[in-house]
Amino acid sequence: MTQAQLQETANIPALLEEPGIRKWQDFFGFQTDHKVIGIQYLVTSFIFYCIGGVMADLVRTELRTPEVDFVTPEVYNSLFTLHATIMIFLWIVPAGAGFANYLIPLMIGAKDMAFPRLNAVAFWMIPPAGVLLIASLVVGDAPDAGWTSYPPLSLLTGQVGEGIWIISVLLLGTSSILGSINFLVTLLKMRIPSMDIHKMPLFCWAMFATSSLVLVSTPVLAAGLILLSFDLIAGTTFFNPSGGGDPVVYQHMFWFYSHPAVYIMILPFFGAISEIIPIHSRKPIFGYKAIAYSSLAISFLGLIVWAHHMFTSGIPGWLRMFFMITTMIIAVPTGIKIFSWLATMWGGKIQMNSAMLFAIGFVGTFVIGGISGVMLAAVPFDIHVHDTYFVVAHLHYVLFGGSVLGIFAAIYHWFPKMTGRMVNEFWGKVHFALTIVGLNMTFLPMHKLGLMGMNRRIAQYDPKFTTLNEICTYGSYILAISTFPFIINAIWSWLYGEKAGNNPWRALTLEWMTTSPPAIENFDQTPVLATGPYDYGLERADEGVPLSDPNPFLSGGPNSVLRAEPDPAVAANPEDRK
């Protein structure tokens, strides 16, 4: 076949009947189809992202000037408390679960998740938790002790708002636990027979590591919050120093989950970037096993670094040294991923589409956050900048420059599979440009603010910090504006975009080996692997045919991931196939 004929076959769903057509009402009800649930997760979490973003801009507007002249200090405290809680528990964590729900069964050749009803229950715990959290703003008693909710401060503020915050986070934590059980069982028990663990896509490895981390760490946070609620409502003194309690114990319980939460938020998008870069570089992934096992290493090491948040809390010096060393060591598996991605891109035929631009942006900005993280791991430096804007800058370069850019890269990459239509690349690139400019303009100056000594979580500050805060505020407005081309592009493309075909990226992983969007049960027959998931540009030893232009629907094509009988014409003349 000529290349032109080969490309035409990419739009022919030879292996499946017409996909089941979903009505728009299906996405607003209780469904057990993992693909519907995945989109429910993504859309719901994006709505909360917009709400949390509005709160962030209100906070930045207050900080544009050194005086308290936009909102009251009490409202300011509530806004940054809810902003952080929403962005972590209602945006990044559920977005990762959304991609996992949609992709894991498709990637491993399964028809659905292991426990479909449990899957739906896990999602439907999220909207009421989010509504509860936001409703606390209108009860006149919103939580204002920060997203950490440290006692004794959280015991001295409003009982109602703090109680709502605890209930909301407990619901969201329970949702994560249920989802993680489902992901682990699905990955371990429902892979197709021809897929051993070293043939799984790297996104599946990342979700395995993430789910394991969730199951170990989340119950500890739940226990801490339950004890805190007893102190708040029943008058116990687990953490109340006035009755002999120890607030530092709460910090240990909180950070035993909440530092692993950073990896819970970033690991799924490490996996997504590991899928996106080889496809759009047309090269095999560099160091497949190194990337896979580094995810597990991050998951393990993430459980023994939590007390680096507590270097100023009075913990013994020997304990500081232990957590300083483990925090620095965790940079090693992360660095393995970074260098493997760079090696994959090196010499590749890089396609600068929206997905790849966000993936490259992810790598660059995450490295900045990672370097500042190693700096904060050093006890003397951490003590110097603790509770300053340097920490805020580090956090946002990791979670916005990392997780959020990873979310957008994943959306642009898998949008054709989810909707059957391509996004508009021009507006995708406009979205990327505005996001990168706004991101660096907002958070880069915060490093200088922190080194100059500006404390975080305050509404009023020394006038010498005014200029840098103005730059940060205007950058946050650019970030807000960047969301509009994305929303318009996504909605317009979903309704009227160019038809994508089944495999527009010419990928090799199984989710591209079905129709776009996929049929109700994904595959008509059990797939059988014939190549690895990242064998771009390689040759089949038995046929000597390059794998740079795979087409999954060509019966007998040597690049087909689904095994079929060979096409005599193609086998006879491999040059035409090239």
Side-chain angles (χ1 to χ4, degrees), residues 430-452:
V430 169
H431 175 215
F432 170 75
L434 289 172
T435 302
I436 287 295
V437 170
L439 163 67
N440 288 287
M441 192 171 166
T442 303
F443 303 119
L444 194 60
M446 291 183 184
H447 294 93
K448 180 72 179 294
L449 286 171
L451 293 173
M452 292 170 66

Side-chain angles (χ1 to χ4, degrees), residues 354-376:
S354 301
M356 191 62 173
L357 286 172
F358 273 99
I360 294 171
F362 171 101
V363 175
T365 52
F366 182 81
V367 166
I368 296 173
I371 291 172
S372 62
V374 174
M375 294 168 68
L376 288 167

Side-chain angles (χ1 to χ4, degrees), residues 55 67 74 78 156 167 191 195 232 266 274 296 337 343 371 402 502 558 573:
M55 292 179 180
E67 300 302 324
E74 294 76 19
S78 296
L156 300 174
I167 293 171
R191 299 191 309 274
M195 181 183 287
L232 185 71
I266 198 69
S274 298
L296 301 183
K337 293 181 183 293
I371 291 172
N502 299 307
N573 193 352

Side-chain angles (χ1 to χ4, degrees), residues 9 11-17 502 515 524-525 552-555:
T9 64
N11 296 321
I12 303 175
L15 297 174
L16 288 169
E17 301 297 327
N502 299 307
T515 53
D524 267 359
Q525 55 189 357
F553 297 111
L554 176 62
S555 177

Side-chain angles (χ1 to χ4, degrees), residues 2-21:
T2 65
Q3 182 62 31
Q5 291 171 322
L6 172 64
Q7 289 297 105
E8 289 177 3
T9 64
N11 296 321
I12 303 175
L15 297 174
L16 288 169
E17 301 297 327
E18 278 295 310
I21 298 174

Side-chain angles (χ1 to χ4, degrees), residues 394-441:
H394 159 70
L395 172 73
H396 285 86
Y397 265 95
V398 170
L399 294 185
F400 198 108
S403 297
V404 176
L405 293 190
I407 291 171
F408 287 131
I411 290 173
Y412 282 110
H413 180 69
W414 280 293
F415 188 91
K417 178 53 57 180
M418 294 179 178
T419 66
R421 296 182 182 272
M422 303 296 292
V423 292
N424 183 291
E425 283 295 333
F426 172 79
W427 289 109
K429 291 173 182 176
V430 169
H431 175 215
F432 170 75
L434 289 172
T435 302
I436 287 295
V437 170
L439 163 67
N440 288 287
M441 192 171 166

Side-chain angles (χ1 to χ4, degrees), residues 241-265:
S242 65
D246 190 351
V248 176
V249 173
Y250 174 84
Q251 293 188 34
H252 280 290
M253 298 183 76
F254 179 85
W255 287 115
F256 187 81
Y257 166 80
S258 294
H259 191 80
V262 174
Y263 307 115
I264 291 167
M265 287 185 276

